[in-house]
Amino acid sequence: MERILRSKEMAEIILLPVRHHSPACAYHVDRTIEELRPDVILVEGPDNADSLIPVMVHDQTKAPFAIYYSYHDQSGRISEDKERYKCYYPFLDYSPELAAFRAGKRLGIRTAFIDLPYGDILAASREGKGLRKEEEEKSNYNDDYLLSRNDYLRQLCERTGLRSFDEFWEKYFELNGMRDESKRWFDNLLVYCGLARENTPRESMEEDGCLAREAHMAKRIGEHARELAGTGGTVLAVTGGFHTPGLRALLAGEEEAARAEGKTGKVPEKDQGVYLMPYSMEAADALNGYASGMPFPGFYQKIWERAPESDAPYEDAVLDMVVASGKETRRREGYLSTYDEICACAMAKGLAELRGKREPGAYELQDAVLSSFVKGEYNLASDTPIRILRRLMTGNAVGALCPQADVPPILHDFRGECRRFGLKITSTLESESTLSIFSNPRHRQQSMFFNRMLYLDTAFAKKVKGPNLQLKKDRNLMREIWKYKWNAQVDAALIEVSVYGATIEEAAVSLVKEELKKELGAKESALLLTRVFEMGLQGQMQTVFSRVHQLMLADTDFYSMAEALKSLMMMEELETLYGSGLEFGELISIGCRKLIGLLPSMTRIKDEDLDPCMNAVKLLYRVTGRQGAEGRERDDYYDVLEKMTLDGEINAGLNGCVHGILYGSGRETAEKIEMVCRGYLSGTREQLFATAQFFRGLFFTARDLVFIGEQFLRMLDGFYGAVSEEEFLELLPKLRMAFAYFTPREIDRIAAMAAGIHGKGQRDILERQEVYPDWYAYGKELDAFVKGKMKWQTNRRF
């Protein structure tokens, strides 16, 4: 530990360096506070979270939990994009910071946070550095990377023969840590932290806000020390070990605080949020993405619980883990024996002795299970024991907050809804729920809740089967299958949207209103209506419906209009099931008329746009023929199609699609279509190549033409004969796409008709008389190979 003495101006200051989530650190922090009985305990952490400390140390609050920080950069202090930022500050039972707070409560000592608020840390950090690292999925307040990742550390691990910093830390600070005298233990840690800091460039500390934070912490520590000046009191500060040498230099006057702090400014306090939330060991595991502290929280929780009464807590924990993973492996795979477990325990002890460790730790446990439980080669098929052990070492505990915890009302609503529907949120395991949404009112309500959580982007539930109105798939299904899973990010997402309402429904309604203010097209607004449909937001349906009406009148994008019309048709079909109470007829007519008006502009589309365009043309055929449609709509539709065919530069595929619809309506004969086909065949080389695309569009809407007599098939046969082998191979991909609209049975029928044109039957095709030269060469080579094998087997036998 580091002592800074000031007799007149300041009280005595003691700096305790720690590593986040270290059982040994927590043990020595607790013991040091018990021995020193300081007047105030200060802890690294944004100081706008002081109001949460009483809840954190409440008897009914159970770790793991986390402080959730958010910042909405409405003033543009961080970037012009005015983005939203968030981070987590997790606490486990053996977190040194929590141990300090709990000791303060037990001994009646005042406690406080002393670090910069989260938004100010962001302002002090350079883009892409520190808490502004874009590549990190989770942003974690107390990241130990400056303490655990540098050239000095890499060399240290190499010279000590250890594989990682975590193994190095466990060997030299954890395994013997709880038996050391506290002052000696902290002194050893301080030496390591000082060397790690000396090997870190000052620029790195400046650009991730480290120096600004230290200046603020030094300032806060000094304020508390001045309050106690002349009283003989003591100020104890618990901070990350990397910061301790910097704080000592600032507090001892060896470095100017102004230089360290830099020009960070202050971000608006109203834009910052801070809440306490339950967390899970799974989320706190360093190997699952959490960047700070030690991995294997389940394993080290056992160490923390056993340390007070056991002389060998690590050895006991290893035994527990070996037995538990062996039992689970035996249940799943059936091959593991008790002897294998005995061998694993013996190997863990042997490895510890070989590596100079007093007891086997987490890494000896993993190596022993790998060697004793995995039979044969270690691969995906044999890694079950390791996966089981990994899960046990991670742990599955989920924290809880006391009733006095100040959380947004939306979290209470979420938990109430989960209780109402019997959903499991006391573990992080994934569960499944099957809902009969059209026959069971309760199931429909649960589906609406799941859809609202999905819309709020909470990652709580996902639909794996059932009608999907956004993708317009599986509309005939009557049941939904959902998978849901609670984790800490669910609460974080709900806290983030809590500004939009006190309940899940209110937040969803507010976000729908926000989305309506954006510049939407007809397609996006219709998709929003389908989401409101699924969420059962009855009060918003008419509002969104009216907005769709406005946007469809204004939108001139053909594809956007087509997708909107498709969504409206689908919702009209499902109206009796979902019961929205909306009248879609007039809106569908508006979309239909607009789309018909836009059709002539689509004649010269590119080939890559052919599929959506043909789908839109076919959709109009359905819409104009629906029950209740105005008779004039279909006539106008056919008139426009006929005019499109007169455009000499119409896309060949679209031309085929249009002719197919006109043929199906009776406005064109098969002879007329054959004449158009022959026009392509007898035209330029470019037109000849467009024939395959014409067939693709024609078969999309009128594939029955092929089966009417032999005339059309003979024309196809003539087309194949008119192109060379090289040209045929070039056209083959498009021809495959054209014939993809036929069923396998129809393909067989076409093949039989084509063979009949040439006077051939199925037997003639399957039993060929002539043999191609390459077939003959392959058969000869195969015969020689088989004869050689048979001769070798005969010689071997005799």
Side-chain angles (χ1 to χ4, degrees), residues 72-83:
H72 186 189
D73 188 26
Q74 297 187 78
S75 62
R77 179 71 179 82
I78 309 300
S79 70
E80 295 179 357
D81 296 331
K82 298 184 178 181
E83 297 177 348

Side-chain angles (χ1 to χ4, degrees), residues 275-339:
Y275 287 99
L276 207 59
M277 56 181 281
Y279 215 60
S280 68
M281 283 186 170
E282 185 181 10
D285 191 340
L287 298 185
N288 279 346
Y290 178 46
S292 176
M294 297 167 62
F296 316 128
F299 176 77
Y300 288 111
Q301 180 70 25
K302 285 187 174 292
I303 304 300
W304 177 252
E305 292 169 355
R306 289 178 176 273
E309 71 262 0
S310 175
D311 293 330
Y314 278 85
E315 192 172 317
D316 291 345
V318 166
L319 175 61
D320 284 352
M321 290 283 178
V322 167
V323 172
S325 57
K327 182 180 180 180
E328 181 67 13
T329 302
R330 191 156 46 247
R331 186 184 68 80
R332 289 194 192 182
E333 305 292 332
Y335 67 82
L336 213 62
S337 68
T338 305
Y339 179 70

Side-chain angles (χ1 to χ4, degrees), residues 666-681:
R667 291 207 170 196
E668 281 189 0
T669 62
E671 291 75 17
K672 171 68 182 293
I673 294 177
E674 289 176 19
M675 186 175 69
V676 176
C677 289
R678 294 189 188 283
Y680 279 101
L681 292 172

Side-chain angles (χ1 to χ4, degrees), residues 160-178:
T160 53
L162 298 169
R163 292 163 286 189
S164 66
F165 170 70
D166 288 319
E167 188 175 4
F168 170 86
W169 176 271
E170 185 185 69
K171 178 177 180 179
Y172 291 104
F173 290 99
E174 295 294 333
L175 288 172
N176 297 322
M178 295 184 190

Side-chain angles (χ1 to χ4, degrees), residues 723-786:
V723 297
S724 65
E725 185 175 350
E726 291 78 11
E727 291 172 333
F728 177 77
L729 291 174
E730 189 176 341
L731 287 168
L732 189 57
K734 292 182 179 179
L735 289 169
R736 285 183 184 275
M737 294 180 72
F739 281 92
Y741 301 118
F742 293 96
T743 65
R745 187 180 292 275
E746 288 173 337
I747 294 290
D748 286 345
R749 185 179 171 190
I750 293 170
M753 292 171 66
I757 292 175
H758 294 277
K760 301 290 184 181
Q762 183 178 10
R763 180 170 295 182
D764 298 315
I765 295 173
L766 296 177
E767 298 178 5
R768 301 181 61 89
Q769 297 298 318
E770 67 276 11
V771 177
Y772 292 125
D774 52 343
W775 290 14
Y776 178 79
Y778 177 72
K780 187 176 179 181
E781 183 181 346
L782 189 63
D783 282 345
F785 175 77
V786 173

Side-chain angles (χ1 to χ4, degrees), residues 199-391:
N199 286 272
T200 302
R202 184 180 177 84
E203 297 75 36
S204 297
M205 294 186 279
E206 185 175 359
E207 63 190 7
D208 72 354
C210 177
L211 297 183
R213 291 172 60 189
E214 289 173 1
H216 186 80
M217 285 192 280
K219 180 181 176 183
R220 291 298 310 279
I221 294 169
E223 289 172 353
H224 284 278
R226 278 189 285 274
E227 287 179 11
L228 297 172
T231 65
T234 304
V235 174
L236 180 72
V238 178
T239 64
F242 188 86
H243 298 303
T244 306
L247 291 172
R248 188 201 65 79
L250 289 169
L251 291 166
E254 297 174 10
E255 184 174 339
E256 292 183 12
R259 181 189 172 199
E261 188 170 7
K263 297 179 181 179
T264 63
K266 280 283 184 181
V267 300
E269 190 174 338
K270 65 180 178 62
D271 296 337
Q272 305 199 59
V274 54
Y275 287 99
L276 207 59
M277 56 181 281
Y279 215 60
S280 68
M281 283 186 170
E282 185 181 10
D285 191 340
L287 298 185
N288 279 346
Y290 178 46
S292 176
M294 297 167 62
F296 316 128
F299 176 77
Y300 288 111
Q301 180 70 25
K302 285 187 174 292
I303 304 300
W304 177 252
E305 292 169 355
R306 289 178 176 273
E309 71 262 0
S310 175
D311 293 330
Y314 278 85
E315 192 172 317
D316 291 345
V318 166
L319 175 61
D320 284 352
M321 290 283 178
V322 167
V323 172
S325 57
K327 182 180 180 180
E328 181 67 13
T329 302
R330 191 156 46 247
R331 186 184 68 80
R332 289 194 192 182
E333 305 292 332
Y335 67 82
L336 213 62
S337 68
T338 305
Y339 179 70
D340 292 319
E341 296 173 8
I342 294 171
C343 289
C345 290
M347 177 166 284
K349 291 181 183 179
L351 288 172
E353 292 178 10
L354 186 65
R355 295 167 180 172
K357 299 180 181 180
R358 183 166 183 168
E359 293 181 72
Y363 301 90
E364 286 67 47
L365 170 60
Q366 290 184 104
D367 293 341
V369 168
L370 176 63
S371 299
S372 303
F373 285 10
V374 177
K375 309 299 183 182
E377 184 181 358
Y378 177 58
N379 52 39
L380 287 174
S382 62
D383 71 344
T384 300
I386 299 301
R387 282 189 284 109
I388 291 171
L389 176 65
R390 182 70 184 78
R391 178 173 53 80

Side-chain angles (χ1 to χ4, degrees), residues 447-573:
S447 172
M448 288 159 53
F449 169 65
F450 279 147
N451 276 294
R452 290 167 188 174
M453 292 294 290
L454 197 63
Y455 181 65
L456 295 177
D457 197 23
T458 61
F460 174 66
K462 60 182 178 181
K463 189 193 297 182
V464 295
K465 197 170 184 181
N468 190 321
L469 304 192
Q470 280 76 56
L471 299 178
K472 305 171 186 66
K473 291 173 58 179
D474 301 323
R475 288 173 290 171
N476 59 319
L477 297 180
M478 304 299 287
R479 293 193 305 170
E480 292 179 343
I481 298 177
W482 290 82
K483 288 190 176 179
Y484 65 92
K485 174 184 176 181
W486 180 88
N487 56 43
Q489 281 65 49
V490 174
D491 282 8
L494 288 173
I495 291 172
E496 203 167 274
V497 298
S498 63
V499 294
Y500 294 104
T503 66
I504 303 294
E505 183 176 359
E506 285 179 13
V509 168
S510 297
L511 283 173
V512 167
K513 291 178 179 178
E514 287 287 317
E515 198 160 346
L516 287 175
K517 295 176 184 177
K518 299 177 183 177
E519 293 184 7
L520 302 175
K523 173 186 174 181
E524 292 78 18
S525 63
L527 282 176
L528 179 60
L529 182 58
T530 63
R531 302 204 73 167
V532 173
F533 221 60
E534 290 179 318
M535 290 189 285
L537 302 178
Q538 292 290 340
Q540 291 302 302
M541 284 187 187
Q542 189 58 54
T543 304
V544 180
F545 185 78
S546 300
R547 182 64 172 150
V548 175
H549 192 164
Q550 294 172 1
L551 292 169
M552 288 189 73
L553 289 173
D555 203 339
T556 56
D557 185 289
F558 179 81
Y559 299 113
S560 176
M561 288 294 298
E563 286 298 317
L565 189 58
K566 192 174 181 181
S567 294
L568 292 171
M569 283 286 290
M570 173 191 65
M571 285 186 280
E572 185 182 52
E573 293 169 3

